[in-house]
Amino acid sequence: MYGGRNYRVRNERDIVAEVKHVADRYGMKSFYFDDDTFNIGKERIAGYAQAFKEQQLDLPWGAMSRADTFDRKTLEIMVGSGLRFIKYGVESGDQGLVDAMEKNLDLKRVREAVKWAKDLGVAVHLTFSFGHPGETWETARKTIDFALELAPDSLQMSLMQPFPGTGLYDKVTKKNLLVIKDLSKFDGYS
């Protein structure tokens, strides 16, 4: 629902037209794509870059992305269309723990992606979380060390929270690892 009517976004041009509309109407100075798979598909990214040019949308922007699903060339295309900020979800600095999460993420690729971004002048925000099944003081320390090694411009450290209906929730309840069972306490702040 947009503006009181049903609205269906069909492609990159439609999305960029909406961003342009909001920028013109409200004086927006930058924007952010909160989509953890934003960077999947080189053709899609090229479509956004072309739409930014067509709309003459010359604003800095950022996106949540996967560090392991694109290459430097795709990042360069994004930077050429105004990308100035990128956010990668890493979760842990311990490869074994990342593998146990079934995240399908190689930490070597994270290192590369962060380096590419820095080389191209893109600010990097990384997210990590603690408390996954199998977490130990040693894996937590590896996460802290990995974050320090990568030296992002900003970072977020969170506590893992298994929500009902997810595989993680099923995993921790099956192993009787869930300490808080009152769903009203699953608020992200406590």
Side-chain angles (χ1 to χ4, degrees):
M1 188 69 97
Y2 173 77
R5 65 184 189 273
N6 287 333
Y7 183 80
R8 182 172 170 250
V9 174
R10 293 181 308 276
N11 58 40
E12 296 84 17
R13 283 186 175 90
D14 291 338
I15 294 168
V16 173
E18 287 297 312
V19 173
K20 174 76 168 154
H21 169 76
V22 173
D24 290 347
R25 184 168 182 177
Y26 300 106
M28 185 171 66
K29 304 288 185 213
S30 65
F31 59 98
Y32 174 71
F33 289 104
D34 194 10
D35 172 358
D36 59 352
T37 59
F38 176 80
N39 65 311
I40 293 178
K42 291 180 186 183
E43 296 82 20
R44 194 168 148 266
I45 296 302
Y48 273 106
Q50 182 61 37
F52 292 144
K53 288 176 189 172
E54 289 171 3
Q55 290 286 334
Q56 297 177 357
L57 188 61
D58 189 24
L59 292 175
W61 61 278
M64 184 185 305
S65 295
R66 285 195 55 116
D68 61 336
T69 57
F70 72 134
D71 54 29
R72 184 181 173 110
K73 181 68 176 164
T74 304
L75 183 60
E76 289 171 354
I77 290 169
M78 293 168 72
V79 170
S81 66
L83 180 78
R84 298 295 174 264
F85 169 85
I86 198 155
K87 176 180 173 181
Y88 296 127
V90 183
E91 309 316 334
S92 176
D94 181 85
Q95 188 65 58
L97 197 53
V98 172
D99 293 345
M101 291 176 212
E102 299 176 11
K103 190 164 171 68
N104 194 28
L105 176 68
D106 184 339
L107 295 180
K108 291 176 197 162
R109 290 287 306 209
V110 173
R111 283 184 181 93
E112 284 180 327
V114 169
K115 182 181 181 331
W116 295 335
K118 288 181 175 191
D119 289 349
L120 294 168
V122 176
V124 176
H125 177 84
L126 301 178
T127 63
F128 297 91
S129 57
F130 296 100
H132 292 275
E135 183 85 78
T136 64
W137 289 111
E138 180 183 342
T139 60
R141 184 74 233 178
K142 284 183 178 180
T143 297
I144 293 166
D145 291 343
F146 191 58
L148 292 170
E149 171 195 334
L150 296 176
D153 296 281
S154 61
L155 66 97
Q156 173 183 331
M157 299 282 193
S158 304
L159 296 176
M160 183 275 308
Q161 183 61 63
F163 286 97
T166 65
L168 180 60
Y169 183 85
D170 295 342
K171 187 180 205 177
V172 298
T173 53
K174 184 177 180 181
K175 293 183 177 186
N176 200 28
L177 297 174
L178 192 61
V179 176
I180 298 172
K181 295 183 174 53
D182 178 0
L183 297 181
S184 70
K185 302 232 187 276
F186 287 21
D187 63 8
Y189 299 105
S190 59

